[in-house]
Amino acid sequence: IVTAGGDGVAGIWDVATGKRLARMETFGDLTQLAFSPDGKFLAAARLFATTEGVPMHEVRIWDATTGRVVKSLDRCHAFAFAPSGEKLAVVSRSKCVVYDRNDWSKEHLIGPLGGCVSVSFLLDGNSLLGVCREQTEGKADRYVIRQCDIATAKVTQESQPLTNAFYRVVVAPDTVTLATGHDGGNVMLWDAATLAPQTRLQTGVRGFAQPFFSADGKSVGAGCQETGDIIVWKLAGGEELGKLFTEKWSARSYYSRAADETFRPEKDPLRFIFSPDSEAIFVGIAGGTLRQLE
């Protein structure tokens, strides 16, 4: 298991013993953290700005066994590993680039996803999904899901725009369904083939909802960022399977960004995830603490 905090520190832990295996340090807010599919590398996205407002964002990749820095990509704020693990998509304010993980050569420049809020691979590894914020003077900002073919760098699908902000797309294991989380405890399920909205699930809580799929693809959960409460539904049909409650919820972001900023990771931090066997849920509480709920 890997954990991250707002102090720029990441840790790798042995699940069986609880022993910390490695500790990696940088600075700023670590807003995204993920192992490569083969477990050899750990990547993190960092947001940081100087007192003069100069951005020093970075995506950094470590060797997961030694903690050695393998690659640093400056001025980047989001990333995604391809399902095969051989490619890494990285986003800056103006570009989206797909790298070959073996030699770190730039393979593809995906222009339509430059500056997107976050990026995800579809499971075939041939397409990228980006959450794009559209800003028009005098009108409310709109958020869309944009799908691009990697080989041609062209847009193949785009969702209808929403004024209800969302910051990431979660892909179901069967790549049939996508999920986005919204304020007011709402979760939207989308058809992955057409990017058409299918179903709205409601958690019944006031905070921003973060959706996450079980590894077996049978369930979808949503955690409330304000209360830590979790609702789990059956993905086929939307039947509610149950509610989970954390005994204590003190997960607060220490640095809140202005409402007009595009990158607001404190609104949607990754705090909820199913275990690989789909039998438990891990919740990030605060202070580097993880709680396991059966």
Side-chain angles (χ1 to χ4, degrees):
I1 294 177
V2 63
T3 61
D7 53 1
V9 176
I12 299 177
W13 307 79
D14 183 283
V15 176
T17 65
K19 180 181 178 182
R20 188 172 66 189
L21 304 177
R23 185 177 191 268
M24 287 75 74
E25 294 186 43
T26 177
F27 55 89
D29 288 336
L30 295 184
T31 60
Q32 187 183 355
L33 204 59
F35 285 110
S36 60
D38 59 11
K40 293 180 179 180
F41 297 95
L42 173 66
R46 178 192 78 198
L47 289 189
F48 181 79
T50 66
T51 54
E52 294 78 19
V54 178
M56 297 179 64
H57 309 327
E58 179 189 73
V59 169
R60 180 173 293 192
I61 300 95
W62 292 277
D63 184 305
T65 57
T66 66
R68 179 179 61 87
V69 176
V70 175
K71 186 72 174 177
S72 296
L73 300 165
D74 296 334
R75 298 183 296 278
C76 298
H77 61 265
F79 69 90
F81 280 108
S84 67
E86 296 302 310
K87 301 182 189 301
L88 179 73
V90 180
V91 183
S92 68
R93 285 187 176 270
S94 60
K95 296 179 181 179
C96 176
V97 178
V98 178
Y99 289 87
D100 185 313
R101 205 198 70 185
N102 296 307
D103 59 8
W104 299 107
S105 59
K106 295 181 180 180
E107 285 200 336
H108 303 280
L109 177 63
I110 315 297
L113 297 184
C116 64
V117 183
S118 64
V119 68
S120 306
F121 277 91
L122 286 180
L123 297 189
D124 62 7
N126 297 321
S127 298
L128 279 174
L129 297 173
V131 176
C132 301
R133 181 188 185 191
E134 298 179 342
Q135 297 173 287
T136 305
E137 188 174 353
K139 296 182 180 180
D141 294 344
R142 307 191 307 174
Y143 290 75
V144 299
I145 305 170
R146 187 171 294 157
Q147 180 178 335
C148 289
D149 178 77
I150 295 175
T152 64
K154 293 183 178 180
V155 177
T156 54
Q157 296 277 3
E158 186 166 294
S159 73
Q160 69 179 58
L162 298 180
T163 55
N164 192 341
F166 59 99
Y167 303 98
R168 75 181 80 246
V169 176
V170 186
V171 183
D174 59 6
T175 319
V176 173
T177 306
L178 309 175
T180 56
H182 305 266
D183 236 334
N186 293 308
V187 171
M188 184 73 74
L189 300 181
W190 308 75
D191 185 316
T194 63
L195 298 188
Q198 288 185 313
T199 306
R200 185 179 69 166
L201 301 173
Q202 294 180 293
T203 63
V205 295
R206 64 182 183 277
F208 203 95
Q210 183 189 116
F212 54 104
F213 291 104
S214 61
D216 60 14
K218 296 180 179 179
S219 306
V220 58
C224 174
Q225 297 290 7
E226 290 191 17
T227 66
D229 298 341
I230 299 169
I231 312 294
V232 181
W233 298 271
K234 183 183 295 184
L235 188 55
E239 176 189 352
E240 185 178 306
L241 297 177
K243 295 181 173 68
L244 299 170
F245 303 97
T246 54
E247 297 174 9
K248 181 182 179 182
W249 184 254
S250 59
R252 295 290 181 266
S253 297
Y254 293 101
Y255 181 70
S256 296
R257 293 161 179 84
D260 59 352
E261 292 193 42
T262 298
F263 313 116
R264 303 185 67 197
E266 70 279 359
K267 287 290 290 183
D268 191 21
L270 291 168
R271 287 185 173 139
F272 308 92
I273 190 170
F274 272 99
S275 61
D277 61 7
S278 303
E279 295 298 322
I281 292 173
F282 290 100
V283 183
I285 304 299
T289 301
L290 286 173
R291 180 163 290 154
Q292 179 178 335
L293 304 175
E294 299 297 334

